[in-house]
Amino acid sequence: MDIYEVLTLVMNKDLYILNLLAYLYIGTSVLVFFLLVSGITAPYGRYARHGWGLFVNGKLAWFIQEIPSFAVPVVYVVMGAPMLNKTPNLLLFSLFVIHYFQR
C-alpha cells in the first residue's frame, strides 16, 4: 500500500466522521428546537436554581471555559513551535498570551 492509498483511507475516514458529526449536530438542533417551542425553559445565570441539572459556580465555569485559550499557546511555547521563530508571529503571540494572563 503506497502513501496515496493510506492518505485516501484516512481522508475518507475523516470525511465519514465529519458527516456523522454534522448529522448529529442537525439532529440535536431539531430536538432542542422542539423542546424550546414546547415551553421548557432552562434557568441560567442569575436565574439559576438548584434542582435543574448540575449547579456550577460561575467563576469556576468561566475559568474552565477560558483556560484552553491560555493553556494551548503555553503548550506551543513549551514544545518549541517552529512558527514562533518569526518576529511578527512571536509578537502577536506574546500579545495574545499577555492579554489572557492579564484577564
Side-chain angles (χ1 to χ4, degrees), residues 37-83:
V37 170
S38 70
I40 294 176
T41 58
Y44 63 93
R46 68 181 188 174
Y47 303 110
R49 61 180 185 264
H50 292 283
W52 179 266
L54 178 67
F55 188 77
V56 179
N57 180 320
K59 290 183 180 186
L60 176 63
W62 178 86
F63 178 78
I64 292 170
Q65 174 185 327
E66 295 294 327
I67 195 65
S69 295
F70 181 74
V72 169
V74 169
V75 169
Y76 273 116
V77 169
V78 169
M79 296 182 80
M83 68 184 143

Side-chain angles (χ1 to χ4, degrees), residues 68-70 73 91-101:
S69 295
F70 181 74
L91 177 65
L92 290 172
F93 185 82
S94 299
L95 290 174
F96 180 80
V97 171
I98 289 168
H99 161 75
Y100 261 89
F101 183 74

Side-chain angles (χ1 to χ4, degrees), residues 8 11 13 15 21 24 36 40-41 44 73 75 80 90 95-96:
T8 303
M11 288 172 46
K13 189 174 184 178
L15 185 60
L21 289 173
L24 181 66
L36 291 174
I40 294 176
T41 58
Y44 63 93
V75 169
L90 185 59
L95 290 174
F96 180 80

